[in-house]
Amino acid sequence: MADVFSVIPASVLRNLSDKLYEKRKNAALEVEGIVKQLAAAGDHDKISAVIHLLATEFTYSPQANHRKGGLIGLAAATVGLTSEAAQHLEQIVPPVLKSFSDQDSRVRYYACEALYNIAKVVRGDFIIFFNQIFDALCKLSADSDANVQSAAHLLDRLVKDIVTESDQFSIEEFIPLLRERMNVLNPYVRQFLVGWITVLDSVPDIDMLGFLPDFLDGLFNMLSDSSHEIRQQADSALSEFLQEIKNSPSVDYGRMAEILVQRAASQDEFTRLTAITWINEFVKLGGDQLVPYYADILGAILPCISDKEEKIRVVARETNEELRSMADPAERFDVGAILTIARRQLSGEWEATRIEALHWISTLLKRHRTEVLSSLDDIFDTLLKALSDPSDEVVLLVLEVHACIAEDPPHFRQLVIFLVHNFRVDNSLLEKRGALIIRRLCVLLDAERVYRELSTILEVESDLDFASIMVQALNLILLTSSELSELRNLLKDSLVNPAGKNLFVSLYASWCHSPMAIISLCLLAQTYQHASAVIHSLVEEDINVKFLVQLDKLIRLLETPIFAYLRLQLLEPGRYIWLLKALYGLLMLLPQQSAAFKILRTRLKAVPSYSFNGEQLRRTSSGNPNQVLHHMPSGSQITEDGDGIQDGASSHNGINFAARLQQFEQMQHQHRVHTKVQAQSRNSSSSSSKEVQRPEEPQHPPALDMTGPPSRSRRNPGQ
């Protein structure tokens, strides 16, 4: 230390710590001259001693003026060393870096000034301290003192110049520090970071693109900054990188895809748009690298399809189509993972997203059917529940998917069973969507197959009230839907066509749950004699409000084009006497003041008068439409129902009508018993006086009489 004081006069050391800047500056100039002489003499030991003195006695001093003098002294010593300064940087730079965090803003300012002068001298030699300098500048960029910020900016520009021209800069060592700092929210720091990223990316020898995954998330995070300038800078940097990606033969798409997927779900609109734009380019460029990320990418795209911002929706749809076009059988990707994403989005709140999720399931079924069916248990319940979706378009698409799955018989039956179950637990679904679902299934699958399966299930349905409602709904669809015209034509030939007969018998079993459905089926199948027998088998309990409502619907349906053939048959009342008798039977069941009564009576009044011979009158002995027969002169030859069968025949084309009628009566007996049990249950808590007057009592005798097998004295033979 004594040698140092002999080298540097006491007055210089005293002025170096003076409160006046000019005195410190002059003292520094003297230090510069002294160091220059020592360097010329090659006395580096004394130079080291001088630097050590400046660092320990001045820059680490508790006195602010001492610290200021020490900083300006170190800079002066570096200037004095000129080209030989590099070998003393290990002593010079650390004290300056420590001063960047000094509590005194003036000290921090002089630290910036000192390092600026040091850097100008040593240039690329101080790259070994780059990370520490970068870290210090990162903090100073957000300094509370404007003068310090200004000084830091000047130093920052110089450091950037040095780095861009240096061949010693290590990007590998710098990236971890950059990645860590990218999470800082301070706007000044963010500007500082984006500036460095842009500068380093402009250097041809520095491969910033290769390290983009390390700081990409930070750049995307800046897109939602409150400062427009920062958002613009981040967007500009990202645009430049995206352009480089398009032109680069080697890009790590995978790591970046994970980041983009997360950012596509950002609350910030601009961030979502940028992320989905990047994903769009990645899908086009990524190739095999992106195959493992298809599911994650799809999970990001589908919600964006329903985004409130149109630009995002457009890009998302384009990306979705591009991705779906790549899902060909040759690609080896995780079908199960894609299905999981589609299932999750199918349960989402946005209709457009649910629709696209269904398109994906449909696409996978066509291209990867085996893999989809192996994962069917994971998505089948969700697909079934989607049948209750509030959107008609979603329901129609779900049905298409189900139809594709139902090509396999076990899945077909499972679908129909669940449909019936859904209708059972949710009556509103049957009421609002039943027709849509059944009609669409009949188009996508074979209508006869659908109706046969439904009939088989409903035949053994334990909930009799639901079975009746369901059969009525199916019957109405059968009678009115254009999609079921072929099924109606097949049923019209039930008496002459074995296929029609089989269908008639199949439907009959479940149609027995509803008297009006059976009557409608018989009218459609032109089994008019049996229709008349069914009408005559009805008892008082059967003719209730619900029955009359259904009858009203049937009467109105008889006036539609679907039953035009039946109305034309009324032009030959002698040939179709059982049709006439059935219609008159229905007329007798209607209240005279009802609109349906007036409609049917008006139609029957239009029936022309033709003759009946005496034999024909005798063969329709019970329940004859006497009013019409009264106006029919004798002499005409007729055949029953126009099909040439004898009136007394109990079966035709293999249909045992007597057994069918018994089947109907037994089912109606079950319904009557069920109704009575329900009534008794409702009345169980009533008073004893009310129990004596329960409405079922007067009905017992006729009910017991009517529920047994048909009596020969009440009906024509064989009916």
Side-chain angles (χ1 to χ4, degrees):
M1 185 65 68
D3 289 339
V4 175
F5 287 116
S6 65
V7 173
I8 302 178
S11 60
V12 173
L13 295 176
R14 186 169 54 251
N15 289 335
L16 200 57
S17 60
D18 197 276
K19 65 179 182 180
L20 295 176
Y21 172 72
E22 286 299 325
K23 287 187 177 182
R24 294 197 301 272
K25 180 180 178 183
N26 290 332
L29 290 174
E30 292 190 40
V31 170
E32 178 185 338
I34 293 170
V35 172
K36 191 176 293 185
Q37 291 176 358
L38 292 173
D43 196 345
H44 286 280
D45 290 339
K46 287 184 179 180
I47 294 174
S48 295
V50 170
I51 295 172
H52 180 73
L53 173 68
L54 293 172
T56 57
E57 297 297 325
F58 286 85
T59 59
Y60 297 148
S61 170
Q63 300 298 321
N65 289 329
H66 279 68
R67 298 197 295 274
K68 296 173 188 176
L71 289 168
I72 196 171
L74 288 172
T78 306
V79 174
L81 284 168
T82 59
S83 61
E84 298 182 21
Q87 58 185 300
H88 295 282
L89 285 180
E90 293 285 353
Q91 283 182 285
I92 296 172
V93 175
V96 179
L97 292 176
K98 185 177 184 301
S99 299
F100 281 140
S101 57
D102 197 283
Q103 292 182 349
D104 191 321
S105 62
R106 296 304 297 169
V107 174
R108 297 198 298 274
Y109 175 85
Y110 285 119
C112 292
E113 184 182 76
L115 192 57
Y116 183 89
N117 290 322
I118 294 169
K120 281 176 65 177
V121 174
V122 299
R123 303 298 290 185
D125 289 330
F126 92 140
I127 289 295
I128 58 173
F129 298 100
F130 176 77
N131 276 15
Q132 295 96 306
I133 295 171
F134 179 88
D135 195 36
L137 287 173
C138 186
K139 296 172 183 176
L140 290 176
S141 64
D143 198 279
S144 58
D145 189 282
N147 290 325
V148 175
Q149 280 194 18
S150 179
H153 290 160
L154 285 173
L155 175 59
D156 181 52
R157 283 200 292 270
L158 176 61
V159 175
K160 286 175 180 173
D161 289 341
I162 294 172
V163 168
T164 55
E165 66 186 27
S166 172
D167 58 359
Q168 301 177 37
F169 177 74
S170 173
I171 185 66
E172 292 82 3
E173 294 179 6
F174 168 64
I175 287 298
L177 176 62
L178 176 63
R179 181 174 58 240
E180 180 184 341
R181 289 289 174 264
M182 291 299 288
N183 296 321
V184 177
L185 300 179
N186 186 283
Y188 296 108
V189 175
R190 283 184 161 183
Q191 281 185 306
F192 171 80
L193 294 171
V194 175
W196 267 100
I197 290 172
T198 304
V199 167
L200 292 176
D201 186 48
S202 67
V203 180
D205 295 334
I206 298 177
D207 181 23
M208 285 295 283
L209 184 59
F211 295 94
L212 181 57
D214 290 287
F215 55 87
L216 180 64
D217 190 58
L219 282 175
F220 267 94
N221 202 28
M222 294 179 189
L223 292 175
S224 58
D225 195 278
S226 57
S227 167
H228 174 71
E229 185 177 358
I230 293 175
R231 293 198 302 271
Q232 198 171 37
Q233 289 177 352
D235 180 51
S236 177
L238 286 168
S239 298
E240 184 62 33
F241 278 120
L242 185 57
Q243 190 60 44
E244 290 178 32
I245 288 172
K246 294 179 183 178
N247 300 327
S248 175
S250 177
V251 178
D252 184 359
Y253 289 101
R255 285 180 61 197
M256 289 189 283
E258 294 176 353
I259 296 169
L260 296 175
V261 165
Q262 295 176 356
R263 289 299 170 181
S266 171
Q267 296 295 316
D268 179 68
E269 183 180 298
F270 187 45
T271 304
R272 291 199 306 277
L273 177 59
T274 307
I276 204 69
T277 302
W278 274 61
I279 291 174
N280 179 269
E281 294 295 339
F282 274 32
V283 169
K284 296 175 182 176
L285 301 169
D288 293 341
Q289 278 196 53
L290 282 183
V291 171
Y293 301 94
Y294 274 3
D296 292 335
I297 291 173
L298 182 63
I301 293 171
L302 290 180
C304 289
I305 287 174
S306 302
D307 199 279
K308 59 183 179 181
E309 174 56 44
E310 183 180 1
K311 292 180 181 178
I312 296 175
R313 295 198 301 271
V314 170
V315 178
R317 286 191 176 279
E318 179 186 333
T319 310
N320 183 56
E321 293 301 321
E322 186 75 27
L323 190 63
R324 191 158 58 221
S325 68
M326 297 165 65
D328 58 70
E331 291 287 350
R332 301 300 303 170
F333 63 94
D334 191 343
V335 173
I338 295 283
L339 287 174
T340 299
I341 293 295
R343 174 182 58 78
R344 187 184 307 147
Q345 297 299 333
L346 188 54
S347 303
E349 59 180 305
W350 301 299
E351 178 183 350
T353 295
R354 297 197 299 274
I355 289 171
E356 290 306 319
L358 286 167
H359 281 313
W360 265 97
I361 296 174
S362 179
T363 298
L364 293 177
L365 268 170
K366 294 173 183 175
R367 301 177 184 177
H368 304 270
R369 183 176 180 84
T370 303
E371 292 93 327
V372 173
L373 293 182
S374 66
S375 303
L376 193 59
D377 290 342
D378 298 330
I379 63 168
F380 198 68
D381 286 345
T382 303
L383 284 172
L384 292 172
K385 291 175 183 176
L387 290 169
S388 303
D389 195 279
S391 165
D392 285 350
E393 188 174 356
V394 170
V395 171
L396 292 175
L397 283 171
V398 171
L399 289 171
E400 288 185 16
V401 172
H402 277 301
C404 190
I405 295 173
E407 292 175 8
D408 301 324
H411 295 136
F412 172 76
R413 180 163 178 78
Q414 189 178 359
L415 168 62
V416 179
I417 289 174
F418 182 86
L419 265 181
V420 173
H421 169 74
N422 249 21
F423 289 144
R424 185 190 305 111
V425 299
D426 185 3
N427 287 333
S428 64
L429 177 65
L430 177 60
E431 180 182 345
K432 297 175 182 178
R433 290 286 179 71
L436 175 69
I437 293 173
I438 299 301
R439 289 169 61 185
R440 189 59 183 165
L441 272 184
C442 288
V443 171
L444 297 170
L445 301 168
D446 180 55
E448 181 179 352
R449 182 186 179 198
V450 172
Y451 260 72
R452 282 180 180 274
E453 192 66 44
L454 284 167
S455 181
T456 301
I457 294 170
L458 291 171
E459 182 181 357
V460 294
E461 173 62 47
S462 59
D463 186 341
L464 297 181
D465 291 333
F466 164 72
S468 177
I469 294 171
M470 184 73 189
V471 165
Q472 289 167 14
L474 291 173
N475 183 63
L476 186 62
I477 296 168
L478 174 64
L479 295 178
T480 59
S481 299
S482 58
E483 294 89 346
L484 274 70
S485 59
E486 292 185 9
L487 206 60
R488 290 194 294 271
N489 291 334
L490 186 60
L491 284 168
K492 287 177 186 177
D493 295 334
S494 297
L495 294 176
V496 295
N497 186 336
K501 180 263 295 185
N502 289 335
L503 178 59
F504 175 83
V505 173
S506 175
L507 297 184
Y508 195 100
S510 60
W511 259 235
C512 286
H513 283 292
S514 169
M516 197 46 56
I518 279 291
I519 294 169
S520 302
L521 183 65
C522 291
L523 293 179
L524 184 62
Q526 303 188 69
T527 57
Y528 301 136
Q529 183 175 357
H530 187 66
S532 178
V534 169
I535 294 169
H536 281 78
S537 74
L538 298 175
V539 298
E540 183 178 347
E541 292 100 318
D542 298 329
I543 307 171
N544 50 34
V545 174
K546 292 181 180 179
F547 174 85
L548 293 175
V549 169
Q550 292 297 315
L551 179 54
D552 183 276
K553 290 181 180 179
L554 175 60
I555 298 305
R556 295 176 190 277
L557 282 172
L558 292 176
E559 297 298 315
T560 64
I562 290 174
F563 281 103
Y565 72 92
L566 182 148
R567 298 195 300 275
L568 290 173
Q569 288 172 351
L570 291 175
L571 293 173
E572 303 178 76
R575 184 181 180 191
Y576 295 98
I577 190 169
W578 287 109
L579 167 60
L580 200 62
K581 185 176 179 181
L583 294 179
Y584 265 98
L586 295 177
L587 184 69
M588 295 304 114
L589 297 178
L590 286 164
Q592 292 190 48
Q593 300 304 316
S594 66
F597 178 88
K598 296 173 183 177
I599 292 171
L600 183 56
R601 183 179 62 177
T602 302
R603 175 60 65 186
L604 290 173
K605 280 183 178 180
V607 175
S609 300
Y610 287 104
S611 63
F612 286 83
N613 59 26
E615 177 63 21
Q616 188 66 37
L617 293 175
R618 285 193 297 273
R619 289 167 60 188
T620 57
S621 56
S622 64
N624 284 338
N626 296 326
Q627 200 170 10
V628 173
L629 298 181
H630 177 74
H631 297 288
M632 294 182 179
S634 61
S636 66
Q637 299 295 319
I638 65 169
T639 58
E640 151 62 8
D641 290 346
D643 54 26
I645 69 168
Q646 296 299 313
D647 295 348
S650 62
S651 66
H652 182 65
N653 195 25
I655 302 176
N656 188 334
F657 285 110
R660 298 282 79 77
L661 184 61
Q662 186 176 15
Q663 183 181 20
F664 169 73
E665 290 181 330
Q666 288 174 350
M667 182 62 74
Q668 288 306 301
H669 174 67
Q670 291 181 34
H671 277 269
R672 287 192 287 271
V673 170
H674 174 68
T675 302
K676 290 178 182 179
V677 170
Q678 284 185 320
Q680 291 171 358
S681 176
R682 286 194 297 267
N683 296 333
S684 62
S685 59
S686 303
S687 63
S688 58
S689 60
K690 291 183 179 180
E691 289 177 358
V692 173
Q693 299 178 7
R694 62 181 182 269
E696 293 83 354
E697 244 175 47
Q699 299 175 6
H700 283 323
L704 292 172
D705 181 53
M706 296 296 286
T707 54
S711 169
R712 294 293 181 186
S713 63
R714 292 175 57 228
R715 299 179 183 85
N716 292 333
Q719 290 183 338

